[in-house]
Structure formats: C-alpha cells, structure tokens
Amino acid sequence: MTRSPLRNALFRRLLPQDSAEREASGEAPPRPPGPLVWAHVTAPGEATALPTLARELASENPGVTLLVTSATPPDTPPGTPLLWQPHPAPGRTSARRFLSHWQPDVALWLGRAEAAPLLSAGASHCPLTLVTSAPEAFSGLDRPTRTALRAVREAWVSDATSLRAARIAGVVHTRLVAPLTALADPPRCIESERAELAERFAARPLWFAAHPTAEELPAVLAAHHAALAGAHRALLILLPGAGCPDDARLTADLTDAGFATASRYEGDDPEDHTEIYLADRYSPEENGLWYRLAPVCFLGGTLAGPAPAEAPSAAAALGSAIIFGPLGPTRTTGLKRLAAADGARAIAAPAALADAVLELLSPDRAAELAQAAWTVISEDAVTMAALTNHLVAQLQSEGVA
C-alpha cells in the first residue's frame, strides 16, 4: 500500500510536540531526499553485510539511502550510500521521534527480536523484515515483543529451529535462507603474472600460508617439512604476517633452517630447487595471485598470536582449500559455517597443521573442500540478491522507488 503525504502528516501530529524541536536542534542530520531504507542492528555481527547491501540497493535505485542504527558504526568504504546513527533511546516516545525525523519507507531488523516499542512502531510505520542468523533470536520473548512481531511483514532465518520459533512467535510470513553476509570482490592480480607462474608451478605440489604471525611460523615450517617428506618438490608460498622479520632476515633464517628460499620482493624467481618462496608483502595483488594459484591455503592469525585473522572470503571465492586454527571462528566471520559444510579444514593445535596440509595436497580432497566453500559463498550471494530485490519491490509497493 502506498504511504501518502497525508498519512505521514497524521503520523507526525500524533507525536509529542518536542520531536520537531529535536529535529531542528541538529541532534540528527537531516533526512536525505529520496527513498530511505532503515536497518536496525541488535547484534554487532549482523552489521557486516550492510555496506554491501547499501551498494546493491544503490545499483538498483541510485537514489536510495540505507540508514543504519547500531551500537557502533559498520566498517564502510568511502562513497557507500549509508548513513549511521546510534540506537534510538529506549521507549515509545523516542521510537516515534526517530520515525518522525527519518520517515523510513522500508525497514530491516537484523538480529534478535527485542526493544518492543521500537520494533512495534517501526513495523507499524512501514514494511519491516526481520533478518537473523541467530538461533536464539526468538527465544525468551516477553509479551510486548510477541505482540510487536505480529506486525512484522516477514522473517528471514537461517535454520529450521528459528523458522519454527518465528512462526510460533506470531510472524505470518517466514523464509529460510543462507545467512546475510558481506560480499567482497575477490582481490585482483596481474593476469600475465598468474599465467606465467601457473605454467612454472604446474607440476609442483603448492600451498600458501597467508599472513601467518611470527608465533605461527614454527608450525608452518614444521608442516612444510612434512610436506617435503611426502612430496620432495612441494613448494610453500609464504606471505609473512604480523611480527615476522623483514625479507632479508627471514630469508637468512629460513636458509639456516635448511630451506632453499627465494624472495619475490627481492626480485628472485622461484627455481626448481626452491622450497619456500617469500611473497611480496608490500604488493596489493599478492593475495589475489596466490589464492588463485595455490590449491591449499592456511589462514594466518587463526592459530596463534594477537593479530586479526585472515578472512576466508577471498580464498573461498578463488578456489583455494582453506585450513584454519581454533582462533579463526572468534576472529573472523564465516569459518564455522564453512567448516560445517566441509568447505574448510579446522585444526585444533599447531601440531595438526602438518597433517592438514598433507591431506589437502591430495588434489581430489582439496577440490572437494574448494567446491563446498564455493557453494557456501554462492548461497550467500543468492541471499544478498534476494534481499535486495525484496526491498526494491517493497519500495515500489510503497510508491517511492
């Protein structure tokens, strides 16, 4: 149903008089012109996909803006049509003031069903879709929240338990989808380099250690010792991570440890006898190059050390079978789901890295994991596209697209 200017005016008339004073006071920026989609985030992890959603919406409708309310701002690239505001204050009056100022045309609620006054007011003001991947999103709800859920237009959930819980809670229309996750373009590489190196390495078992920390280097080197024992032409591509020495020192250390080592940064070409090839840590194309070339990769920062973990999305998109340590699921999103789908190999301790590398240097096994990972990220892309189309259709039904 199209929301008319008269309806908007009547909505404003129902608000406390000081809502106009708050808008004029400069506490919030002015509402941008054109269609506005409001996304309210109740859990930090649910916000990571919103910059992607903002770009997808803008590609369908260049005038649309995504307004995000969350505890902290999402990490948003410059130029993304996304506005961030902190959560509205609790209570019915604050909810009405917020909606009076921003006048959203369509709304998303990401995460747990809570804050009943805001949820109820938002669902009454415009079509609201609840999207969550949390199994507990509908557990332990109080009566006001259950009442508010009856006004929710749809609930998109990621497991059968949540689907049943949403229906029991009173949501009429539900949909089972893959989780809403951030989609990133795969990292670039120079194609001529990739083709040349692919020909050079065609007959060699190859694996890639992506940004291992200094604390993880002993496990990486032990794993490569094991790989060389099983396949004497095995080659480790090592892209050093946090705390690792510079290339000159690292090359010397690896040579002293008995590895024939070459450095891409220093201009060395890998020879037939090279056992470790140091990737150029200063080149922006290195990740994209080696994820394309190496059928197996270890994600640094998932096993030891304080550094952030290497995200799995690039490796999964580019067909490299993923190995990760026990810190991975707490430091980066997506790994737990990839492992559950047999799209990544989890290891519990540094000593287990060697066995994982030997297992995945089998081409058939690496291909199985890479295919499963590709299926998972393809499902994520389907969810993003479906939600974008869903919101655009709602904007059209509201007469504002």
Side-chain angles (χ1 to χ4, degrees):
M1 179 178 66
T2 300
R3 186 149 40 79
S4 67
L6 176 60
R7 178 182 163 193
N8 284 340
L10 289 173
F11 184 84
R12 288 176 180 270
R13 289 283 301 275
L14 293 173
L15 302 175
Q17 185 62 36
D18 65 347
S19 64
E21 296 173 2
R22 179 178 182 274
E23 181 176 350
S25 71
E27 291 181 27
R31 183 200 191 278
L36 188 138
V37 176
W38 166 44
H40 181 74
V41 182
T42 65
E46 301 283 354
T48 57
L50 292 179
T52 302
L53 179 62
R55 293 192 297 272
E56 294 296 315
L57 285 169
S59 71
E60 295 293 327
N61 184 337
V64 73
T65 299
L66 182 65
L67 169 68
V68 177
T69 52
S70 58
T72 57
D75 186 9
T76 305
T80 303
L82 182 152
L83 290 175
W84 175 81
Q85 289 288 286
H87 284 156
R92 192 183 305 271
T93 299
S94 294
R96 288 176 172 172
R97 287 175 176 170
F98 173 84
L99 293 167
S100 171
H101 177 74
W102 291 105
Q103 290 293 314
D105 301 298
V106 173
L108 285 176
W109 191 278
L110 288 94
R112 178 176 168 78
E114 59 187 27
L118 184 62
L119 178 60
S120 178
S124 299
H125 178 78
C126 63
L128 186 147
T129 301
L130 190 152
V131 180
T132 183
S133 58
E136 70 280 2
F138 301 98
S139 63
L141 303 180
D142 57 21
R143 180 169 294 181
T145 304
R146 288 180 176 275
T147 301
L149 280 171
R150 296 192 188 106
V152 168
R153 188 67 60 90
E154 286 191 23
W156 291 29
V157 299
S158 302
D159 62 273
T161 300
S162 296
L163 189 72
R164 290 191 296 271
R167 290 171 177 170
I168 292 170
V171 182
V172 176
H173 299 289
T174 54
R175 194 182 302 198
L176 187 63
V177 296
L180 183 65
T181 58
L183 304 178
D185 293 332
R188 302 170 301 158
C189 76
I190 299 171
E191 175 55 27
S192 58
E193 283 190 324
R194 188 211 62 79
E196 178 187 346
L197 289 167
E199 183 176 354
R200 184 188 295 265
F201 296 146
R204 301 193 65 176
L206 187 69
W207 70 289
F208 174 38
H211 301 283
T213 66
E215 295 86 348
E216 292 170 329
L217 273 181
V220 169
L221 300 182
H224 195 49
H225 266 301
L228 288 167
H232 73 278
R233 300 196 70 225
L235 177 63
L236 165 63
I237 307 299
L238 175 58
L239 184 57
C244 292
D246 62 35
D247 274 25
R249 171 68 183 276
L250 186 55
T251 299
D253 290 346
L254 294 173
T255 301
D256 289 345
F259 293 104
T261 304
S263 168
R264 181 167 158 85
Y265 175 72
E266 298 291 341
D268 300 334
D269 287 327
E271 305 292 344
D272 284 346
H273 66 275
T274 302
E275 296 170 327
I276 297 179
Y277 191 42
L278 295 182
D280 183 356
R281 69 184 88 184
Y282 305 106
S283 170
E285 286 86 17
E286 291 296 275
N287 271 15
L289 175 66
W290 299 114
Y291 282 137
R292 284 174 170 87
L293 287 171
V296 182
C297 66
F298 164 68
L299 299 184
T302 64
L303 196 56
E310 185 75 3
S313 54
L318 296 174
S320 189
I322 295 167
I323 303 170
F324 69 94
L327 300 177
T330 63
R331 291 185 173 181
T332 188
T333 59
L335 278 173
K336 188 179 294 185
R337 184 161 158 255
L338 282 171
D342 198 28
R345 174 73 153 78
I347 58 174
L353 181 58
D355 287 342
V357 169
L358 288 170
E359 174 191 341
L360 295 183
L361 284 177
S362 164
D364 290 344
R365 182 64 180 128
E368 288 174 4
L369 259 71
Q371 180 58 50
W374 174 253
T375 299
V376 169
I377 64 168
S378 298
E379 291 171 351
D380 294 345
V382 168
T383 298
M384 182 64 72
L387 184 59
T388 301
N389 293 336
H390 172 72
L391 295 172
V392 169
Q394 288 188 325
L395 289 170
Q396 291 171 344
S397 71
E398 293 293 294
V400 293

